[in-house]
Amino acid sequence: MEADARLLAESQTNPEAFRILYRHHAEDLIAFLRRGSGNAETALDLFAETMATAFERRDKFDAQKGSVRQWLFGIARHELAAFWRSDRVRMRAVQRLAVTSPELDDESQERIDGLIDAGRARSELIAALKTLPEHEREAVLYRYIAERDYPEIAAALGISVGAARVRVHRGLAKLRKQLV
C-alpha cells in the first residue's frame, strides 16, 4: 500500500493524517487548478473544494482504481469542470439580458487598484512563506493566521512554549528579509 493510501486510511480515525496528505499534494493541485482556471484566487477556492470533497469521500477511495494522487486530481478536474460550466451559464445569462458593466469612476478604479496591489502583496507573502522551513512556517501561521497564543502553538506542535516563540521569531525574521 502506498504511503498516501495509508494516510488516507488512517485519516478515518485520525484527521491529522489527512492534513499531512493535504500538505503533500497542495502545491501540485493548486498549480493544476491555477493553469485550468487562469486565476490564482479561483484556484485556491477550487483547491479548498477539492480537499473538502476528498475528506468527505475518503472512505470511498479504491486503490484498485489508481493512486491517491490520481484520485485527488480526478476530484480537482471535476471541480474545474463545474467551475467552467457555471461560468458559461452566467456569461450566457449576462449576454441574453444585455447586461453591461458600468463605467468606473476614479475612486472605484483606485479601490480596485488597491485591491490588486494587496493581492500582489499577499502573493509575495505566500511565496515567502513557502521558503520557510516547515516548522517555522507552521509556527508563524498558527500565531498570525490562526491567532493562537504561544502555549496553544506549543501544544499543537508538541514543543515547549520557548521553542514556539523561537520558531515564530526566526520565521518572522526570515520573512522580513525577503519582503523588504
Side-chain angles (χ1 to χ4, degrees):
M1 179 184 274
E2 68 172 310
D4 285 346
R6 279 193 298 276
L7 284 169
L8 194 61
E10 185 182 333
S11 74
Q12 297 293 332
T13 56
N14 177 10
E16 179 65 25
F18 193 84
R19 191 176 105 184
I20 295 167
L21 192 68
Y22 177 103
R23 277 192 263 149
H24 182 250
H25 292 283
E27 191 172 314
D28 290 341
L29 282 167
I30 291 169
F32 168 76
L33 292 165
R34 170 69 173 91
R35 286 189 304 273
S37 69
N39 181 286
E41 287 186 34
T42 300
L44 291 174
D45 290 343
L46 293 171
F47 172 69
E49 289 299 322
T50 297
M51 296 311 284
T53 299
F55 186 78
E56 290 170 355
R57 298 182 184 165
R58 64 194 187 279
D59 61 326
K60 307 254 188 294
F61 171 73
D62 183 357
Q64 300 295 322
K65 294 181 180 177
S67 68
V68 171
R69 179 180 173 82
Q70 292 167 326
W71 180 67
L72 289 171
F73 273 86
I75 295 169
R77 276 190 295 281
H78 177 76
E79 292 295 334
L80 194 56
F83 163 76
W84 282 114
R85 276 193 307 275
S86 69
D87 197 51
R88 276 196 301 275
V89 168
R90 183 184 58 78
M91 290 306 294
R92 278 197 302 267
V94 165
Q95 289 170 348
R96 195 171 46 251
L97 297 171
V99 174
T100 59
S101 297
E103 290 296 317
L104 293 177
D105 58 23
D106 289 341
E107 182 181 335
S108 297
Q109 186 62 51
E110 285 177 25
R111 277 197 312 238
I112 291 170
D113 290 343
L115 290 172
I116 291 169
D117 289 343
R120 284 187 190 126
R122 190 174 88 194
S123 295
E124 290 173 13
L125 176 59
I126 289 169
L129 280 166
K130 287 181 180 180
T131 67
L132 293 179
E134 185 176 340
H135 64 280
E136 290 174 2
R137 181 175 55 245
E138 280 185 320
V140 169
L141 292 175
Y142 272 123
R143 182 73 179 124
Y144 293 99
I145 302 301
E147 298 180 349
R148 302 291 172 92
D149 60 22
Y150 288 106
E152 290 174 309
I153 297 168
L157 298 178
I159 58 177
S160 70
V161 174
R165 288 180 187 281
V166 168
R167 286 183 185 183
V168 170
H169 175 75
R170 285 183 182 159
L172 289 177
K174 289 175 183 174
L175 288 174
R176 265 187 229 107
K177 283 182 184 177
Q178 288 187 46
L179 296 173
V180 172

